[in-house]
Each structure stands twice: as C-alpha cells, then as structure tokens.
Amino acid sequence: MSFTIYPAIDMRGGKCVRLKQGDYSQETVYGDSPFDMAKSFAEDGAEWIHMVDLDGAKDGRRINDRFVIEAAQKLGAKVQIGGGIRSEEDILHYLDNGVDRVIIGSLAVSETDLVKQWLRKFGSRMAIGLDAKDGFVATHGWLETSSLRAVDLGKELADAGAETFIFTDIATDGMLSGPNIQAVAELALATGKRVIASGGVSSLEDIREIKRHEQAGVSGAIVGKAIYTGQFTVREALKEAGR
C-alpha cells in the first residue's frame, strides 16, 4: 500500500469552487477552468486527481462530465469522479472514456442492493463515498442526513466487495479545521479496506497525522481548500506523503 495525495477539483457551473460544509450558498470560486486546474496538479506531480460534479450531486445527473473526461484523456494523472452518478450508464460513460475510478455516494444508501451488483461488476474501479454528519451518512449533495451509521454501511459494502472508501466528515469540509482522523481510522479498521480521508486538511501536519494510520488501512488524503488558499502546495503535500 502507498499513501496517496488527491488534489481536489469541485465543479459547479463549469468553474472550480469550494463550499463550506457542503453548503451551496457558501461558495468560493477558485478557477474558471477545471481542466487547467487538473493540468497544473498533474504538472506538479499528482498521480491522482479527485473531481466532484457538485451540480450533478445536487441534480442527480451528469453535468460537468466533459471536464472530467478531458482531464482523464489528456493528462498523465489518474482521475476519480463523484457526483451525479446514478446509473450503470453513468459509470460506463466515465470508465469507457478514460476515467480510472467512479465514486458512488447517495445510491449506496438508497439503492444498496444495486450498488452491491455494481461492486461485483466493476470491482476496484468503484469507490464508495461515505459522507457523514455526526457519524450518520449524508446524501444528495449533503442536503439530507440518513439514519444509517457510516461504519455500518461501510462494513456491509466491504462484505459485498468494496475495496476503497472515501470518508468525509461534513463538519470539517472546507473549514481548514483539521480532519476527523479518528472517524477515518475507525472506518478503515471496521471494514479492513482502504479508506481515503477527505475534509478539513489544513496543514502538512494534518497529512502527517493521517499518514500515521496507514497501517490501519488509511491510504490517502483528499486536499482541496488548503491548496487553493496557499496553506501548502501540491508538491509539498506529495513530499510529505513520501511520493
């Protein structure tokens, strides 16, 4: 296992944005071109780029997919995408056009049996995004919170074949307040699978702290706002991760 840094590009209206705690009314625009941002991350040495279609997550359909596919086809980095993926057609649309991994979020809660079928079919090319608020899974662009505990759903889907989870604590996302490392490590230990930490990374020290749980199964960190606001560079994050 190697620890991976995933620079993040959240897309809304064709622009690169960041939200505070998933709140669509608290948006900051950091760039006009998702592809140019992805290109800069790849040029800085990122092996993976994490992209999120915020419009798609909210509306339940692919909206910013052209930027994802352009990055996947033209850059040397691998791309994973979440947001607005609601059908097998959506999954194939990305995987057949060069995207390395798709992330399933809301459907893992509302259509668990269907997602289990997809896990059997697509295996490691699918990740499960567990976005949690106070330990419970949030869905539909974080606009709704379910009664399902993230750890319980994680264990169920791990048993069905999920190999990679992305865990986001909504309370920390976009706040530069530090990640909820304990919750990430708990999910990794409970599932026995790879878990990528997301939300709240604000310093190189945060990356060091997350990486300390690598043996437990914490395999990487998604970093967004800290890069955009100059807390550290992609190159510095990669160096901290030992890349």
Side-chain angles (χ1 to χ4, degrees):
M1 184 187 295
S2 59
F3 192 84
T4 304
I5 296 295
Y6 297 79
I9 299 173
D10 290 1
M11 301 169 291
R12 190 175 183 210
K15 299 181 183 298
C16 305
V17 307
R18 297 299 293 173
L19 306 181
K20 281 188 177 179
Q21 298 177 308
D23 186 343
Y24 282 71
S25 69
Q26 297 191 64
E27 173 189 277
T28 303
V29 177
Y30 285 106
D32 291 328
S33 170
F35 175 76
D36 287 347
M37 190 68 72
K39 186 170 183 281
S40 72
F41 291 160
E43 289 173 346
D44 282 343
E47 295 179 10
W48 278 90
I49 297 170
H50 174 81
M51 303 183 80
V52 179
D53 184 350
L54 290 174
D55 294 312
K58 192 173 184 180
D59 293 354
R61 60 189 177 91
R62 302 189 310 264
I63 294 178
N64 291 289
D65 52 320
R66 64 188 183 280
F67 305 113
V68 182
I69 290 169
E70 184 180 15
Q73 293 181 344
K74 294 182 179 179
L75 303 177
K78 297 177 181 178
V79 174
Q80 64 180 21
I81 173 64
I85 299 171
R86 296 288 188 272
S87 66
E88 189 167 321
E89 179 188 356
D90 291 332
I91 295 171
L92 291 170
H93 174 71
Y94 284 120
L95 297 184
D96 289 347
N97 283 288
V99 174
D100 287 275
R101 190 155 64 202
V102 295
I103 304 162
I104 301 298
S106 300
L107 282 186
V109 178
S110 62
E111 299 285 349
T112 308
D113 288 341
L114 177 62
V115 171
K116 288 178 180 178
Q117 292 177 28
W118 291 344
L119 283 168
R120 287 191 286 271
K121 185 168 185 176
F122 298 107
S124 61
R125 300 196 72 187
M126 178 184 294
I128 302 297
L130 296 179
D131 305 333
K133 188 173 185 179
D134 300 322
F136 293 91
V137 179
T139 62
H140 300 92
W142 299 350
L143 300 176
E144 301 174 19
T145 304
S146 74
S147 59
L148 192 61
R149 281 173 42 83
V151 167
D152 293 336
L153 180 59
K155 288 161 68 175
E156 182 178 350
L157 292 174
D159 288 343
E163 293 292 334
T164 303
F165 293 91
I166 297 169
F167 181 84
T168 306
D169 183 346
I170 295 174
T172 66
D173 191 70
M175 301 300 290
L176 296 178
S177 58
N180 188 341
I181 299 174
Q182 180 180 350
V184 175
E186 284 177 359
L187 181 63
L189 289 169
T191 60
K193 303 298 182 180
R194 293 187 296 271
V195 179
I196 301 166
S198 175
V201 175
S202 62
S203 65
L204 295 175
E205 176 61 28
D206 286 339
I207 293 174
R208 279 194 290 276
E209 286 294 323
I210 296 169
K211 193 173 187 294
R212 286 196 179 106
H213 296 272
E214 188 175 1
Q215 293 304 312
V218 180
S219 64
I222 292 170
V223 185
K225 190 173 182 180
I227 292 172
Y228 293 110
T229 58
Q231 309 298 316
F232 52 80
T233 66
V234 170
R235 290 182 187 276
E236 288 171 335
L238 293 171
K239 184 178 179 181
E240 195 61 54
R243 308 304 289 177

